[in-house]
Amino acid sequence: MSSRRRDTLSASLLVLGSLAVLALSIVLYLTPPASGYEFSVYRGFPMAFWLLVVAALFAGQLVIVRAALSDDDSGRSWHLGLAVIMAVAALLFLLPYYRGYQAYDRADVLTHVGFVRNIHQFGGLVPSDLYPNIHLLTLTLSYATGVEPLHVINSIAVVIPLFSILACYALVTRVYDRTRALLTIPFASLLIAGSAYVNPSPFVQSTVMVPFVLYLFVRERQARTLASRVALGLVAVAIVIYHPLTTVFLAIGLTAYVVADGLQRRGVFDSPRNEPRSSVGNGMTLQLMTALFLSWYYTFDPILNRSREAIQSLVGSSTGQSTVDKYGSIVSETSPQLTDLVVIGFAKYGISVLLAGVAGLYLLTVVVDVVFDRVDVTTYELSFSFTFVAFTGLSVLFLLFDLVVGWGRPLLYVNVFGALLTGPLFYKLYQQIDTSRVITVILCSLLLAHAVFGVVTLYHSPVKAEPSHQVTDGELEGAQWLLQHRNRFVGTVEYGISFYRFGDAYYGKNKSNPRELVDPDDSGPPPHFGYDRNLTLGSSFERDRYMIITAKGRHFYPEMYPEYRDHWRFTPQDFDHLRRDPTVAHLYDNGEVDVYRVTETG
């Protein structure tokens, strides 16, 4: 294809992407916000909106790919393709604001707001604060802008992911030549972390910052300047205090680099270019992070307890249930249809399957090259490969054993390092296979699938068997009313809300007044409110209880599992029965939250 035709097609793709971004912005501006809790943000917009999102992302990807396959190094249109991708990503990250959500992520984030409130109240960190970075950052921004911490902390889930995309771009262009870099960027810059992007919790936000840490690590080794070392040292300290698991996982990646560099030095693999080495040594950053990790986290009892639980699980002395056991129990109890399992699996893990598959194919090509004694791989490609294999193994380990946290955490790193191997794979294929048109078709098909999976996995929805993490005005008001008007010595059961999380956000995580304490309730009301066994709900309790039920709880089963009515724990008839129950007094209703007082008769 001639250079003029190539430039014309790239220009057409950029125009299409830019018009799509403009149309998306108009739709977002004109669409009214949600009136209450909605189980899926995807339902708030027409299907045409989401098709435009995918089209704009795909157009940006194609512009970058066309630049990669061009012999003209002077073209800069691919930067505009990356700009289109980032513009669409920014609009997607801002969806909770356009929908009028008070906050997004109704679990840990509310407790982190409580830590922020405690720093403001006490003038310093509380002893139990394991993750001070995000709390200090949120409070600083709140002071500077005058915006409530609850809203500030969610804005971090917009800024940091966009910065992460730029960090991926900077890392890739540092470690690869032009062609490899441009074949990698369309994958690495597009929503590879799924729902982690919109969850402003320490682990996920520190994880999406890992590409920036790797960029500084590579830059220090290549630049050998004092400024680069200072920047790397500061970020290494910051990432350690951000989250302990991120530190451990990042240390695995740095260890993989040390091993890969050692193999290259010994001539085990041929490096295609003379790669610069840092004068401070391979393991300096790793040693610094390890020392900081041990000195900081092993003064906290929760870290010691969790480490002990993980070891007990590995040696078989733990009674906890692994992720695969939980999945197996759910499947055996509900007997879901195969099509439902496939849809849920791809909606939750489609991006991971795609990136792991591409990276696995790259490893296969390396093995073939080793067999035929023609291996030609850089230290960075080798270290990314080792890290990818390590985290794939860890993901399996976390899936099979109860290691305190879910297997999705190491799986995030499979996504990150799998994406970094996509460019080298297609570079090899273009070099070794004559039918380049077939490779291009496969590449474009994978990019389209990547765009679709990136959009589908970004937010929680019933398609993923996960309700939205939206926090509504009504939930904040209802929780606040109960916190102010309750009798502290009367316990609370809840459905559709984690009441203690709202207590953290309202009073702070460390509460100085016993009246402010909220005991977490894991049991909730009995199935069908006990009406399948008793005439009244009060018969199921031995003490009086407050009961708080949200719109999410009322509509959970009809919205999430409409085809599995036989397995519903609560039906609309059960909620109707509450109104006629003489042991249940209706104290509060704001349209989103109902608060009851249950008189025990058991």
Side-chain angles (χ1 to χ4, degrees):
M1 183 180 290
S2 67
S3 176
R4 179 175 296 180
R5 289 183 61 189
R6 185 182 294 112
D7 293 342
T8 301
L9 183 55
S10 296
S12 300
L13 289 170
L14 286 173
V15 170
L16 172 63
S18 301
L19 290 176
V21 171
L22 177 61
L24 292 172
S25 302
I26 294 173
V27 171
L28 288 175
Y29 179 77
L30 296 178
T31 302
S35 58
Y37 180 82
E38 55 184 9
F39 279 82
S40 172
V41 69
Y42 298 102
R43 299 177 185 173
F45 303 96
M47 179 59 69
F49 175 88
W50 299 108
L51 292 176
L52 269 180
V53 168
V54 173
L57 293 174
F58 189 48
Q61 289 175 310
L62 290 181
V63 170
I64 300 173
V65 168
R66 295 195 67 79
L69 302 180
S70 171
D71 296 328
D72 182 9
D73 292 346
S74 63
R76 293 293 179 181
S77 61
W78 67 270
H79 285 112
L80 298 177
L82 179 61
V84 169
I85 291 175
M86 290 196 63
V88 177
L91 293 178
L92 291 175
F93 297 152
L94 286 167
L95 285 184
Y97 293 90
Y98 283 110
R99 298 303 296 151
Y101 297 174
Q102 278 296 309
Y104 192 79
D105 201 305
R106 53 198 295 118
D108 288 355
V109 168
L110 295 176
T111 295
H112 290 303
V113 171
F115 277 116
V116 174
R117 187 176 295 277
N118 284 144
I119 296 173
H120 172 71
Q121 290 173 339
F122 303 139
L125 297 174
V126 296
S128 60
D129 194 345
L130 288 170
Y131 323 109
N133 274 17
I134 197 168
H135 306 146
L136 292 171
L137 175 62
T138 301
L139 186 60
T140 301
L141 293 176
S142 179
Y143 287 156
T145 62
V147 179
E148 284 292 320
L150 183 61
H151 302 304
V152 170
I153 199 171
N154 274 270
S155 67
I156 292 173
V158 178
V159 177
I160 290 183
L162 290 175
F163 182 76
S164 176
I165 293 175
L166 288 175
C168 284
Y169 154 75
L171 172 63
V172 168
T173 53
R174 271 278 176 179
V175 300
Y176 294 145
D177 56 48
R178 180 182 183 275
T179 303
R180 286 183 176 89
L182 291 181
L183 288 172
T184 305
I185 288 173
F187 289 96
S189 63
L190 182 59
L191 307 178
I192 58 176
S195 59
Y197 284 126
V198 292
N199 180 359
S201 293
F203 173 77
V204 293
Q205 290 300 307
S206 57
T207 293
V208 300
M209 289 293 290
V210 164
F212 181 61
V213 182
L214 296 177
Y215 161 73
L216 290 178
F217 177 78
V218 172
R219 186 172 184 272
E220 188 277 329
R221 298 193 65 76
Q222 295 178 350
R224 301 189 183 189
T225 62
L226 178 62
S228 62
R229 290 183 195 129
V230 170
L232 177 61
L234 290 175
V235 172
V237 173
I239 206 73
V240 168
I241 303 176
Y242 225 126
H243 197 280
L245 198 57
T246 304
T247 310
V248 174
F249 286 170
L250 185 57
I252 292 173
L254 294 177
T255 302
Y257 177 82
V258 171
V259 173
D261 187 64
L263 293 175
Q264 292 282 29
R265 286 174 181 269
R266 289 169 174 79
V268 177
F269 293 92
D270 295 328
S271 178
R273 60 186 177 186
N274 185 20
E275 295 172 351
R277 314 288 182 181
S278 171
S279 58
V280 300
N282 275 340
M284 184 61 70
T285 306
L286 178 60
Q287 294 167 12
L288 173 63
M289 292 180 59
T290 302
L292 288 170
F293 174 82
L294 293 175
S295 62
W296 173 259
Y297 285 110
Y298 277 88
T299 60
F300 293 96
D301 289 337
I303 297 296
L304 295 173
N305 293 334
R306 292 189 177 189
S307 300
R308 187 184 307 114
E309 291 172 7
I311 294 172
Q312 289 174 344
S313 178
L314 283 174
V315 300
S317 60
S318 173
T319 58
Q321 193 177 31
S322 68
T323 302
V324 71
D325 290 335
K326 294 175 183 176
Y327 287 167
S329 299
I330 294 173
V331 170
S332 63
E333 290 174 4
T334 59
S335 300
Q337 298 177 11
L338 180 60
T339 54
D340 290 338
L341 291 177
V342 172
V343 170
I344 293 172
F346 275 101
K348 288 174 69 72
Y349 305 115
I351 197 77
S352 300
V353 171
L354 187 149
L355 293 174
V358 173
L361 185 57
Y362 170 77
L363 295 178
L364 181 61
T365 63
V366 172
V367 172
V368 172
D369 287 345
V370 170
V371 172
F372 289 96
D373 196 25
R374 62 187 183 192
V375 64
D376 189 16
V377 60
T378 68
T379 303
Y380 298 114
E381 289 176 31
L382 194 58
S383 66
F384 294 158
S385 300
F386 288 163
T387 310
F388 170 78
V389 171
F391 280 106
T392 301
L394 273 179
S395 299
V396 174
L397 198 65
F398 275 65
L399 180 65
L400 298 178
F401 295 92
D402 177 27
L403 299 180
V404 183
V405 297
W407 78 304
R409 299 204 177 191
L411 196 63
L412 275 179
Y413 288 77
V414 172
N415 293 3
V416 172
F417 288 94
L420 293 175
L421 295 173
T422 53
L425 168 66
F426 284 99
Y427 180 83
K428 277 179 173 289
L429 295 179
Y430 276 114
Q431 293 294 314
Q432 298 176 4
I433 298 177
D434 294 334
T435 54
S436 60
R437 180 169 294 183
V438 174
I439 303 302
T440 302
V441 171
I442 295 174
L443 173 58
C444 293
S445 300
L446 289 175
L447 287 174
L448 180 58
H450 186 46
V452 172
F453 287 139
V455 173
V456 171
T457 58
L458 186 59
Y459 286 98
H460 299 281
S461 70
V463 175
K464 299 168 62 177
E466 297 171 339
S468 171
H469 285 193
Q470 173 192 1
V471 177
T472 67
D473 287 303
E475 289 171 333
L476 290 168
E477 294 169 1
Q480 180 178 341
W481 184 90
L482 182 56
L483 287 167
Q484 291 178 336
H485 294 87
R486 67 188 176 132
N487 181 338
R488 167 71 181 86
F489 300 101
V490 176
T492 304
V493 294
E494 62 205 33
Y495 187 56
I497 189 173
S498 294
F499 184 49
Y500 82 97
R501 299 283 193 184
F502 288 81
D504 292 343
Y506 189 65
Y507 290 127
K509 174 62 177 176
N510 287 62
K511 301 170 179 63
S512 56
N513 186 342
R515 187 184 182 282
E516 300 173 352
L517 296 175
V518 178
D519 297 324
D521 177 79
D522 296 327
S523 59
H528 304 289
F529 300 110
Y531 295 137
D532 52 344
R533 304 187 310 272
N534 305 304
L535 295 177
T536 64
L537 176 57
S539 303
S540 299
F541 296 107
E542 296 181 356
R543 294 181 181 178
D544 288 3
R545 291 285 189 274
Y546 292 109
M547 183 170 67
I548 180 169
I549 297 176
T550 65
K552 175 191 172 186
R554 285 183 175 274
H555 303 293
F556 179 81
Y557 284 101
E559 291 283 346
M560 295 291 296
Y561 309 107
E563 299 178 359
Y564 295 90
R565 188 181 179 90
D566 293 342
H567 298 282
W568 291 3
R569 293 181 70 245
F570 299 96
T571 65
Q573 291 75 20
D574 296 328
F575 291 103
D576 291 338
H577 200 163
L578 279 179
R579 295 201 298 266
R580 305 189 301 271
D581 191 332
T583 64
V584 178
H586 199 177
L587 306 181
Y588 176 87
D589 177 12
N590 66 6
E592 281 284 324
V593 174
D594 291 282
V595 179
Y596 303 90
R597 174 73 179 254
V598 182
T599 303
E600 62 84 16
T601 60

